[in-house]
Amino acid sequence: MTTQSTIRHAARLSVAPMMDWSDRHCRYFHRLMSRHALLYTEMVTAPALVRGGALHLLDYNAEEHPVAVQLGGSDPKELAAATKLCVERGYDEVNLNVGCPSDRVQSGTFGAVLMRDPELVADCMAAMKSAAQDVEVTVKCRIGVDDQAPEVVLPDFLEKVSAAGVSRFTIHARKAWLQGLSPKENRDIPPLDYPLVHRMKEAFPHLHLSINGGITTLDETRAHLDVMDGVMIGRAAYHDPATVLLDADQQIFGDTTPGRSAHEVVEAMYPYIEARLAEGLRLHSITRHMLGIFTGRPGARKWRRILSEGATKPGAGVALVAEALSSVPEHVPAD
């Protein structure tokens, strides 16, 4: 089990929980690029685990540590039971989603709508903390929803929820509009308010606070780390993982061990791909997460085309990935 100090160090840079994207295959791929970054699962709902018995949703690879699971829910007892299941399976952190704005999540009375009820969130976190034993429970939230005033709502939220024993929060620096905007639009349209989130670190120096939203590079990450304890990156880490993760260990964590090149990462995936195919998985389930690794490099378009067109075909395997890889020059001449 990863210690709390290790998980907090890993949280200097984390890859966000992303529905339909950050599955176990994606996380394994990302781990080959960074030994230290904290990886999150897709959101798993507590009812699916506790009432639905969908424990396969908690499957992961041992190589993924440090790895955190994100839960969705709003019933303290059910979240406590789900937390217990996550802890039993060895997750390093259990996180509660208080940020997702989708209609489906709202109908279950969890996600961003919980920003309106910090007392309920505090009750949920107290129950989860009791069930988590020594594993840290955390919250990922927004700065507010709808017509709330973030400069009022956010400090009140942090104060009330931290009183339940929570000392780590990741704050998405945008409001969520629960009516009128789609989940995708909620990631782009509400303006980012980094200064507000930075002020929360000044107001709550005893809390471990990470910032999320619109951050795409390690240079931006380092700038935020001058103020914040951690940075969480989502879509940029998925669509352009090499830019975000290949140098993260050296630039963010001070690791002096040389990292892998993008080509070496792809080749390191071969044994994993073969093992999963032997279990009956189709190649596309893995390679769909690998399409962006050569973003911006010569040959990237052909790499994507070969995998996109071929990985869904019966019998597709490592040979197809090797063919696609051969279309990308390993050494790009300097300008």
Side-chain angles (χ1 to χ4, degrees):
M1 179 65 65
T2 305
T3 65
Q4 189 171 116
S5 61
T6 302
I7 201 81
R8 290 192 170 211
H9 181 67
R12 283 179 59 80
L13 177 65
S14 59
V15 179
M18 295 174 282
M19 291 300 294
D20 300 321
W21 288 0
S22 55
D23 65 16
R24 60 184 299 195
H25 313 304
C26 177
R27 297 193 303 270
Y28 187 92
F29 178 55
H30 286 171
R31 180 57 69 215
L32 292 176
M33 287 181 253
S34 171
R35 288 180 288 270
H36 300 291
L38 177 58
L39 305 179
Y40 280 82
T41 69
E42 304 170 84
M43 182 184 67
V44 180
T45 69
L49 297 177
V50 178
R51 285 182 257 159
L55 299 184
H56 66 280
L57 297 175
L58 298 179
D59 289 346
Y60 68 96
N61 311 281
E63 294 86 353
E64 292 173 36
H65 290 290
V67 60
V69 58
Q70 185 182 69
L71 294 178
S74 60
D75 179 85
K77 290 183 178 179
E78 198 161 55
L79 281 166
T83 297
K84 186 172 184 293
L85 293 171
C86 296
V87 170
E88 288 172 351
R89 277 153 184 78
Y91 278 96
D92 302 308
E93 172 196 328
V94 183
N95 177 268
L96 180 65
N97 183 320
V98 189
C100 182
S102 78
D103 292 340
R104 181 168 60 88
V105 169
Q106 289 182 55
S107 67
T109 321
F110 54 89
V113 70
L114 287 174
M115 291 297 299
R116 294 174 175 164
D117 196 346
E119 291 84 2
L120 175 57
V121 176
D123 289 343
C124 290
M125 298 311 296
M128 291 170 65
K129 185 175 175 61
S130 178
Q133 302 172 42
D134 295 330
V135 175
E136 192 164 26
V137 293
T138 67
V139 171
K140 185 174 187 290
C141 66
R142 293 275 185 148
I143 61 173
V145 296
D146 298 337
D147 293 323
Q148 289 181 330
E151 64 275 9
V152 175
V153 168
L154 185 56
D156 179 67
F157 180 88
L158 293 175
E159 183 175 347
K160 289 177 177 175
V161 177
S162 64
V166 180
S167 58
R168 257 185 63 214
F169 295 79
T170 297
I171 305 170
H172 187 153
R174 282 188 176 96
K175 264 190 181 186
W177 288 93
L178 302 179
Q179 302 295 329
L181 293 182
S182 69
K184 181 180 184 300
E185 290 169 330
N186 262 298
R187 293 192 296 267
D188 296 305
I189 293 177
L192 288 160
D193 193 345
Y194 294 148
L196 173 63
V197 180
H198 289 175
R199 291 197 298 275
M200 293 305 99
K201 181 57 191 176
E202 296 171 7
F204 298 91
H206 59 290
L207 298 181
H208 185 291
L209 301 182
S210 294
I211 191 168
N212 169 235
I215 303 163
T216 62
T217 69
L218 294 182
D219 285 344
E220 294 172 57
T221 297
R222 288 197 303 270
H224 282 292
L225 287 173
D226 286 341
V227 180
M228 306 297 297
D229 300 299
V231 171
M232 176 181 279
I233 301 181
R235 286 170 291 165
Y238 188 86
H239 292 303
D240 189 6
T243 293
V244 173
L245 294 173
L246 276 184
D247 295 323
D249 288 355
Q250 292 72 35
Q251 293 192 31
I252 305 301
F253 298 98
D255 193 333
T256 57
T257 306
R260 292 183 172 97
S261 69
H263 276 72
E264 289 169 341
V265 168
V266 172
E267 291 169 344
M269 284 292 291
Y270 291 173
Y272 179 83
I273 290 170
E274 289 176 336
R276 300 292 81 76
L277 295 181
E279 296 169 352
L281 197 72
R282 298 190 72 170
L283 180 64
H284 173 70
S285 297
I286 301 172
T287 56
R288 70 186 183 97
H289 302 301
M290 301 169 61
L291 297 178
I293 190 170
F294 297 112
T295 293
R297 287 182 52 172
R301 182 176 298 179
K302 188 173 182 182
W303 156 264
R304 292 192 300 267
R305 179 177 58 77
I306 291 172
L307 290 182
S308 297
E309 293 176 358
T312 58
K313 295 179 180 178
V318 165
L320 180 76
V321 184
E323 177 192 347
L325 185 62
S326 69
S327 67
V328 184
E330 188 158 3
H331 300 290
V332 181
D335 292 336

